[in-house]
Amino acid sequence: MGTRAWALLLVLCGTIFLEGIDVAMLAVAIPSIRSDLDLPTDTAAWVMSAYVLGYAGFTLLGGRAADLLGRRRMFLTWLTVFLAFSGLGGFATEGWTLIVARFVTGVSAAFMTPAALSLITTSYEEGEQRNKALLVFAGTAAGGFSLGLVIGGLLTQLGWRWVFFAPVLLAGALLVAATRLIPHQPHQPRPAESENAESENAESGNAESENAEPGNAEPEKGPGRPRRRTEGFDILGAATAAAAMLLAAYAVVRLEHGLDGWRLTAGAALAATTLLVVFVAVERRTPTPLVRLGILRTGSVVRADLGALLFVGAFFGFQFVLTLYLQELRGWSSLQTAIALVVLGCDAILAPTLTPRLVTRFGHAKVILGGFVLAVVAYGLFLPVGMDWSYAAMFPTLIIAGTAFALAYGPLTIAATDGVAESEQGLASGLLHTFTQFGSAIGISAVTAVYGLASSGASAGSDPDATLSAFRAALIVPVAMVTLGALLSSFGIGSRTKPPTAGASAVPAVPTTAAATVIAATPADAIPGASANPARQGSS
C-alpha cells in the first residue's frame, strides 16, 4: 500500500480506536461521576445503558444508510455528532444530560462505524491487501479498549470530565484528516485499488446505464448519481427496524434483573418481536427495501454472524465475571483491575501479524474454529477459580483468551460477507454489528442473571464462599457459548475457502458497546446488576 492508502487506513482505524477508548474510559469513570453528581444507582446504570440502546438500536439502519446516502457523508456527519455530544457529556451537571449525551453518542457510533468499515472494503484491493487492512482495523479496536482501561483510570484521577474531553480532541483531529483523505467523488481513484475495479463491480444494481460505481454509495450530484440510491428510501422499514432493535436491546439489558420486573422485560421482548415481524412484512413488499432479505440466505453470512454473537458474548461475559471477582472478592482497585486486564489486548498485536499468515495458509474457517477451541480451553481453565488465586494462576486464561480473540474475531469478519455484493457492504456491516452488539449484551446479561440466581440464597456479600460459588456458576455461561460456537463454526470447515467474488469483501465489527461499558474496571455497586445480588438491582 502507498502512503495515502496507509494514511486513510490510520484515520479509519483511529475512529475505531476512538470508540474503544471512549467506552472503556467511561466505565472506569462511572464511580467518580456517580459520586460527584450524586447519582442514584439506576441513573448511573442508565448512563452506560443509554449508549447500548443507541448503538444496538440504530446499527442496522446505520449500515444501510452508508450504502444509500454515501459512506463519506455518513462518516463525516456522524463523527461530528460524536464529537459534539461527547463534549456535552463533559459539561454535564445532571444525570439526564449524561444519559442524553451517551444515547446520541451511541447512535452516532451506529452510523459512523459501518461507514468506516465499508470505506475500507471499498478502498482496498480485495484479497490479501484488504484482509490485512481489516485485521489491522480489528486489532486497533481491541487496542483502543485495552488502553482505554488504563488511560481512563489515569484521566479519572485528574477529573472525570477529561474522560469526555479527551475523545473530543481525538475526534477533532480525525475529522480534519478524514476531510482531506476520503475522496469526494465516487469516480476518484481509491488507494490500493485496481484500475478495473469499476468493471468488476458493475454487476451490482442497475448502475451500469448511469456509469455509476455500485460499490460506492456517495450520492454526489451529477450525471453519475445512482438514482436507486436516492429515490424511494424505505422510511417505514427504517422506523420499524429502529424501534424493534431499541426494544430488543432494552429487553436484553433487562435480563440482568432476572425475575425482578419480568413483566416489563417480557413486554419489551414481545413488542420487539411483533415489530420485527412487521419489519419483515414491510421489506417483502417494498420495491426498495432497507434490508434485502435474500442476504440472509447466504449460509456463510448467517453462520459468521451467529458465531460472532456467541464469541463476543462469551468473551465479554467472562471479562465481566472476572472484573467482579477481582473487585468483590479480592478487593483490587479499578486501576489494578484495568492493568490486569490489559493482557487480554494481546490480540491488538497478534491480529495484524499472526492471524493473516494463518488465514492465508489454512483459510478463515479453520482459524475461526481454532479460536473457538482456544476460548473453550481458556474459560474452562478458570472454572475452578479459588478465593486466593495469584495473578500467575490467572495469566494462562488471560493470554489464551486474548489469543483466541485474535484468531476468531478478525476471520469472523471476513467470513461474514462472503458472497455479498459491494453495493451491500454497509448492510453486511450493519448486520454483523447488530449480532455482535446483541451478543455482548446477551453475554453480560446472562452471566449476571446466573450470578444473581446462584447467590440469591446467600446474604448479600456476607458469605464469600457462596459468592465465589456464584461466580463459578456464572462462568459456565461463556464456556457454553463458545462450545456452541465451536460446533457451529465446524460446519464451515467442509467447504474450501474461495477467493472473494467481485464486489464481495470483509466487514469487521467491533464489540465496543454494551459489553465494553461494563467490562472495564468499575466498582461493582456502579454496574447494573453487579451488586452482591445482581438480580435484585433497581429496575431500569
Side-chain angles (χ1 to χ4, degrees):
M1 290 189 290
T3 302
R4 186 175 180 84
W6 274 111
L8 176 60
L9 181 60
L10 287 176
V11 169
L12 298 176
C13 287
T15 304
I16 291 302
F17 183 85
L18 167 68
E19 188 195 6
I21 64 169
D22 176 74
V23 293
M25 291 191 304
L26 177 68
V28 175
I30 280 290
S32 297
I33 296 172
R34 180 186 180 192
S35 175
D36 188 35
L37 300 184
D38 194 23
L39 302 180
T41 300
D42 286 353
T43 301
W46 270 108
V47 171
M48 296 185 293
S49 297
Y51 184 93
V52 177
L53 295 177
Y55 202 133
F58 289 88
T59 297
L60 186 60
L61 176 59
R64 195 55 176 149
D67 290 330
L68 299 175
L69 303 179
R71 296 171 182 123
R72 184 180 191 275
R73 175 184 295 177
M74 289 295 99
F75 180 83
L76 296 178
T77 298
W78 290 101
L79 178 57
T80 303
V81 175
F82 188 99
L83 182 157
F85 278 84
S86 183
L88 175 64
F91 290 108
T93 57
E94 296 185 21
W96 70 266
T97 309
L98 281 174
I99 292 172
V100 170
R102 292 308 293 169
F103 178 79
V104 179
T105 302
V107 173
S108 66
F111 283 84
M112 175 181 69
T113 304
L117 302 181
S118 55
L119 279 169
I120 285 186
T121 62
T122 56
S123 297
Y124 296 88
E125 186 177 1
E126 56 188 353
E128 182 179 353
Q129 189 175 84
R130 183 178 296 175
N131 289 345
K132 181 178 180 180
L134 294 173
L135 292 171
V136 170
F137 191 80
T140 303
F145 177 71
S146 300
L147 290 176
L149 297 177
V150 179
I151 295 172
L154 296 174
L155 289 179
T156 303
Q157 301 299 315
L158 300 176
W160 63 264
R161 296 184 187 277
W162 279 104
V163 168
F164 290 89
F165 294 145
V168 170
L169 299 176
L170 178 56
L174 291 174
L175 185 61
V176 172
T179 302
R180 295 175 59 87
L181 290 170
I182 301 177
H184 286 270
Q185 300 294 334
H187 63 269
Q188 280 186 283
R190 294 174 295 183
E193 189 171 25
S194 61
E195 295 179 356
N196 62 347
E198 284 149 16
S199 63
E200 292 176 350
N201 294 332
E203 60 185 32
S204 299
N206 296 325
E208 301 95 330
S209 61
E210 299 175 327
N211 295 321
E213 186 178 7
N216 194 318
E218 293 285 342
E220 304 293 336
K221 294 183 179 181
R225 187 176 180 178
R227 209 163 26 216
R228 285 187 67 184
R229 300 280 193 265
T230 58
E231 296 181 357
F233 188 77
D234 185 12
I235 300 297
L236 182 58
T240 53
M245 294 298 101
L246 279 169
L247 287 168
Y250 179 70
V252 168
V253 169
R254 281 200 54 82
L255 287 176
E256 66 190 21
H257 299 293
L259 299 178
D260 186 21
W262 67 269
R263 289 184 178 86
L264 181 57
T265 305
L270 179 61
T273 303
T274 302
L275 283 172
L276 184 60
V277 172
V278 173
F279 172 72
V280 172
V282 169
E283 299 307 279
R284 290 173 65 91
R285 297 175 64 89
T286 183
T288 55
L290 179 71
V291 176
R292 184 180 63 82
L293 299 179
I295 195 175
L296 299 178
R297 300 191 187 100
T298 306
S300 62
V301 171
V302 175
R303 187 165 55 246
D305 286 347
L306 290 174
L309 182 150
L310 293 168
F311 189 86
V312 169
F315 185 81
F316 288 130
F318 169 74
Q319 282 192 336
F320 184 55
V321 175
L322 176 60
T323 299
L324 296 185
Y325 164 75
L326 293 176
Q327 293 185 30
E328 287 193 351
L329 284 182
R330 307 302 298 276
W332 290 23
S333 69
S334 296
L335 187 58
Q336 286 176 316
T337 306
I339 294 173
L341 295 180
V342 166
V343 68
L344 286 167
C346 66
D347 66 317
I349 298 173
L350 297 178
T353 55
L354 174 64
T355 307
R357 298 179 182 178
L358 295 178
V359 170
T360 300
R361 181 169 181 178
F362 300 107
H364 56 67
K366 292 181 179 179
V367 177
I368 290 170
L369 179 59
F372 270 106
V373 171
L374 281 182
V376 173
V377 173
Y379 306 148
L381 286 174
F382 212 79
L383 284 175
V385 60
M387 190 72 69
D388 56 354
W389 268 24
S390 65
Y391 184 69
M394 306 177 210
F395 188 80
T397 287
L398 299 179
I399 193 68
I400 294 174
T403 303
F405 198 94
L407 295 185
Y409 177 54
L412 275 170
T413 65
I414 295 173
T417 52
D418 263 359
V420 177
E422 186 175 328
S423 60
E424 293 184 319
Q425 285 302 303
L427 172 60
S429 172
L431 286 171
L432 187 55
H433 271 81
T434 299
F435 275 84
T436 55
Q437 305 323 315
F438 276 98
S440 62
I442 289 171
I444 290 177
S445 297
V447 298
T448 304
V450 171
Y451 173 77
L453 293 173
S455 61
S456 59
S459 299
S462 63
D463 188 349
D465 290 330
T467 302
L468 179 61
S469 178
F471 283 145
R472 289 171 176 167
L475 285 169
I476 295 175
V477 173
V479 173
M481 292 183 76
V482 289
T483 300
L484 180 59
L487 293 175
L488 178 67
S489 63
S490 66
F491 288 103
I493 297 297
S495 58
R496 174 71 177 170
T497 302
K498 62 182 182 299
T501 56
S505 53
V507 183
V510 182
T512 50
T513 58
T517 60
V518 290
I519 291 165
T522 307
D525 63 351
I527 302 177
S531 63
N533 187 350
R536 299 292 176 258
Q537 193 75 17
S539 62
S540 52

